[in-house]
Amino acid sequence: MAEQILKVNGVEICAESFGKPTDPAILLIMGAQMSMLWWEEEFCQRIAKAGRFVIRFDNRDVGRSTTYEVGQPGYTFEDMADDAVHVLDAFGVQQAHVVGMSMGGMLTQIIALRHPERVRTIILHATSNFAPDLPPIDEKLMEFFSNMGEINWEDEHEVLAVAVASSKVLIGSKHPFDEARVRELAQIDIARSNHYASKNNHAFVTASEPYLLRTAEIAVPALVIHGTEDLLIPFAHALHLANNIPGAVLLTLEGTGHELPRGDWDIVIEAILKHTSGRRVRL
């Protein structure tokens, strides 16, 4: 199905689906500053062909969804979590398996606590509940971002170069960096965005209720997926989530960074399909 602009929760959200609406639904939520394109189309199609109804969407301030003045997002993480639930409403889905990567995984945790009746299972990929005793971002990344300097967001060539470099610094040692593919996706992402610089607003979003302090209350089956060489959200965060969420299962991706490389697709898709194969929960 082609991209759709959904008017939900007082904003416009761009979404797209793959597969049959009669199949169990999987909602994909991408991380900060990343549009739904980074759930690559082939990745979505492979899951759909295995008997799932896959939905991906642009969070606020990325892609074709509503954008705000840079530095003034005017919404909370709870609003973003509610957006995801309203996307399900728009597609006529009562319950879904929710898959979140990085910030999307944080939103997934909020959804599981704020809207438990809408969630069948959750999959948390390269994410955290950011407990205060967990290790911070790696110094290598801190140095990279601190040396980035001011970016001219009106210069597409500069913005594209930054997007590619930012992706490259996040990878692990297991898989080679597919620069050509990243560059292609980034070019499409920049071209289709309402206001590409607004993606930086995700760094300013706050929460009005500390849902992430309540991770142990999550009452749906959880799968935690994490790379051992993640420099942005170190692997210790995954161990903490897996130990904190009752009954959670951990899938370790040895040598993978903060990424979803094509070389991991087979194992990740297999894990998603296995985790989402249960029966529908009664409402």
Side-chain angles (χ1 to χ4, degrees), residues 201-219:
N201 278 333
H202 288 168
F204 298 99
V205 181
T206 60
S208 58
E209 184 177 336
Y211 284 99
L212 298 184
L213 298 177
R214 298 168 47 201
T215 311
E217 298 175 29
I218 292 176

Side-chain angles (χ1 to χ4, degrees), residues 56-110:
R56 64 178 185 175
F57 69 98
D58 292 328
N59 282 305
R60 301 188 194 201
D61 272 322
V62 294
R64 298 177 64 202
S65 292
T66 293
T67 60
Y68 299 76
E69 184 178 344
V70 177
Q72 300 181 32
Y75 56 90
T76 66
F77 285 125
E78 287 91 341
D79 292 324
M80 297 180 78
D82 291 349
D83 290 344
V85 173
H86 286 299
V87 168
L88 294 180
D89 293 338
F91 282 95
V93 175
Q94 288 186 311
Q95 285 188 325
H97 303 280
V98 184
V99 184
M101 181 167 182
S102 197
M103 182 192 73
M106 185 178 69
L107 295 176
T108 298
Q109 295 170 65
I110 294 174

Side-chain angles (χ1 to χ4, degrees), residues 50-202:
R52 304 291 186 274
F53 180 53
V54 179
I55 303 169
R56 64 178 185 175
F57 69 98
D58 292 328
N59 282 305
R60 301 188 194 201
D61 272 322
V62 294
R64 298 177 64 202
S65 292
T66 293
T67 60
Y68 299 76
E69 184 178 344
V70 177
Q72 300 181 32
Y75 56 90
T76 66
F77 285 125
E78 287 91 341
D79 292 324
M80 297 180 78
D82 291 349
D83 290 344
V85 173
H86 286 299
V87 168
L88 294 180
D89 293 338
F91 282 95
V93 175
Q94 288 186 311
Q95 285 188 325
H97 303 280
V98 184
V99 184
M101 181 167 182
S102 197
M103 182 192 73
M106 185 178 69
L107 295 176
T108 298
Q109 295 170 65
I110 294 174
I111 294 168
L113 292 164
R114 187 172 171 86
H115 303 283
E117 74 285 355
R118 306 301 299 273
V119 180
R120 296 179 64 177
T121 70
I122 60 173
I123 298 175
L124 306 174
H125 189 179
T127 192
S128 178
N129 67 355
F130 300 101
D133 57 334
L134 291 171
I137 181 175
D138 188 271
E139 291 183 3
K140 176 184 176 181
L141 283 187
M142 290 294 292
E143 181 179 359
F144 172 83
F145 292 124
S146 63
N147 292 334
M148 187 177 294
E150 291 293 325
I151 299 170
N152 180 3
W153 293 98
E154 302 303 318
D155 184 336
E156 290 192 9
H157 294 290
E158 181 178 346
V159 170
L160 178 59
V162 169
V164 173
S166 298
S167 294
K168 187 173 184 178
V169 77
L170 294 175
I171 69 168
S173 62
K174 184 178 180 181
H175 303 290
F177 181 57
D178 189 348
E179 183 169 341
R181 180 56 175 161
V182 169
R183 184 176 299 275
E184 178 185 17
L185 283 172
Q187 285 178 317
I188 298 170
D189 205 7
I190 293 167
R192 70 183 285 276
S193 294
N194 289 335
H195 187 229
Y196 192 70
S198 290
K199 70 176 190 171
N200 294 295
N201 278 333
H202 288 168

